């Protein structure tokens, strides 16, 4: 029986239930005919002009993005605005668009769990657990072998796809590291969480000046983690392979392709 967009949506819901999404989030089907056949899916972190063009060029029937294109309300999808232009391009190409965002962050093999596994963390648990205690935002665990902040920063830099921003560190280069907290994507809202405060280092993205500065001042006074700030896109890109494998298992006969395009917005950096 051929797969339709409706049946793919059912699989996506089974893998990343929308009930697990944050209240402010907007995952799910964004555009597309539920009765249309789906033979090829492109997975990406961001729905941008480059990844939409890639999907159309691949003759994909579905672009599945981690970040919702319509996260914030819009009053027009006119084609002189980029969101309207992207949706028009997808619709004309008969390519649907689905987002799996925080609902894909919280599951047992979600974005942070994949990052934690790639770092070899053991005995992981969510930073902010859900009602079941297993799912939730972020992960914290223990390295198999203690290391230093500088050495771990190098590991993280080698693990993630390269970006202009690289890996920024706040803390003593030689500081011993054993307990590690991670949150794929923007994670400064978790800086005060008990699991983060109890870790030796917190790895996340989009750390702003004031939250990072205050966290380091508090760490100097009463304990707290060193910080490793990485690319938002890179921290979540690792999850795409895991998502693709799950979709291939659930949708035999459907080709699932992972985009390798860098959608991090920064192009270069000048070190001072």
């Amino acid at each position: 029986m051929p797969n339709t967009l409706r049946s793919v949506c059912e699989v996506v819901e089974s893998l990343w239930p929308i009930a697990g999404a944050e209240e402010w989030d907007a995952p799910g089907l964004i555009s597309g005919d539920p009765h249309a056949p789906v033979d090829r899916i492109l997975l990406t972190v961001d729905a941008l002009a480059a990844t939409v063009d890639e999907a159309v060029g691949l003759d994909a029937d579905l672009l599945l993005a981690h970040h919702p294109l319509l996260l914030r309300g819009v009053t027009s999808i006119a084609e002189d605005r980029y969101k309207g232009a992207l949706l028009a391009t997808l619709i004309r190409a008969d390519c649907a668009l689905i987002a799996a965002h925080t609902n894909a962050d919280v599951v047992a093999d979600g974005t942070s769990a994949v990052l934690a596994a790639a770092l070899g963390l053991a005995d992981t648990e969510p930073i902010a657990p859900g009602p079941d205690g297993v799912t939730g935002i972020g992960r914290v665990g223990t390295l198999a072998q203690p290391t230093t902040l500088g050495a771990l920063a190098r590991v993280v830099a080698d693990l993630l796809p390269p970006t202009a921003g690289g890996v920024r560190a706040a803390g003593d280069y030689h500081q011993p590291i054993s307990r590690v907290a991670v949150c794929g994507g923007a994670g400064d809202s978790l800086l005060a969480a008990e699991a983060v405060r109890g870790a030796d280092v917190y790895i996340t993205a989009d750390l702003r000046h004031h939250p990072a500065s205050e966290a380091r001042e508090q760490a100097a006074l009463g304990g707290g983690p060193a910080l490793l700030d990485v690319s938002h896109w890179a921290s979540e890109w690792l999850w795409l392979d895991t998502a693709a494998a799950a979709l291939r298992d659930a949708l035999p006969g459907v080709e699932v392709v992972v985009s390798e395009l860098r959608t991090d917005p920064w192009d270069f950096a000048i070190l001072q």
Side-chain angles (χ1 to χ4, degrees):
M1 182 176 178
N3 290 290
T4 65
L5 181 57
R6 186 185 301 279
S7 64
V8 172
C9 285
E10 291 171 354
V11 168
V12 169
E13 172 65 18
S14 70
L15 294 172
W16 311 296
I18 285 181
E22 297 289 310
E23 289 184 2
W24 51 262
D25 201 5
L29 180 62
I30 297 168
S31 66
D33 177 3
H35 301 290
V38 174
D39 296 312
R40 183 175 294 118
I41 300 171
L42 177 66
L43 279 178
T44 182
V45 174
D46 298 291
L48 304 176
T51 51
V52 166
D53 288 346
E54 183 181 18
V56 173
L58 288 171
D59 197 25
D61 305 299
L62 170 62
L63 178 61
L64 198 159
H66 181 50
H67 294 143
L69 179 63
L70 302 180
L71 178 59
R72 294 175 178 85
V74 297
T75 58
S76 171
I77 55 170
E79 291 184 54
D80 61 349
R81 294 145 197 205
Y82 90 93
K83 292 185 179 183
L86 294 185
L87 286 170
T89 298
L90 289 169
I91 290 168
R92 291 190 183 106
D94 293 323
C95 182
L97 178 61
I98 291 176
H101 193 207
T102 55
N103 52 316
D105 289 333
V106 299
V107 295
D109 57 355
T111 52
S112 296
V114 168
L115 180 55
L119 289 169
L121 300 186
D123 301 322
T124 57
E125 55 190 27
I127 292 173
D132 61 2
V134 177
T135 60
I137 296 291
R139 291 295 185 274
V140 60
T142 304
L143 291 168
Q145 296 292 331
T147 186
T148 63
L149 180 62
L152 181 61
R154 181 73 263 170
V155 168
V156 172
D158 291 340
L159 175 67
L160 298 180
T163 59
V167 177
R168 298 189 300 173
D172 184 340
Y173 187 92
H174 300 288
Q175 175 181 336
I177 300 293
S178 180
R179 188 77 171 163
V180 179
V182 302
C183 181
D188 62 12
S189 64
L190 297 174
L191 280 167
E194 183 178 348
V196 172
R197 292 277 303 277
D200 299 315
V201 65
Y202 181 39
I203 305 170
T204 190
D206 297 344
L207 286 175
R208 296 169 294 156
H209 173 86
H210 291 294
S213 177
E214 291 175 7
R216 292 301 298 149
E217 290 298 304
Q218 181 59 44
L221 180 65
L227 304 174
L228 292 182
D229 183 43
V230 302
S231 156
H232 190 128
W233 165 77
S235 71
E236 296 177 327
W237 184 83
L238 294 180
W239 168 77
L240 296 181
D241 279 333
T242 297
L247 288 169
R248 292 182 188 117
D249 286 344
L251 297 166
V254 174
E255 182 183 0
V256 182
V257 180
V258 172
S259 175
E260 297 190 6
L261 294 178
R262 177 178 61 84
T263 58
D264 184 271
W266 304 107
D267 294 313
F268 64 91
I270 297 174
L271 300 181
Q272 296 171 297

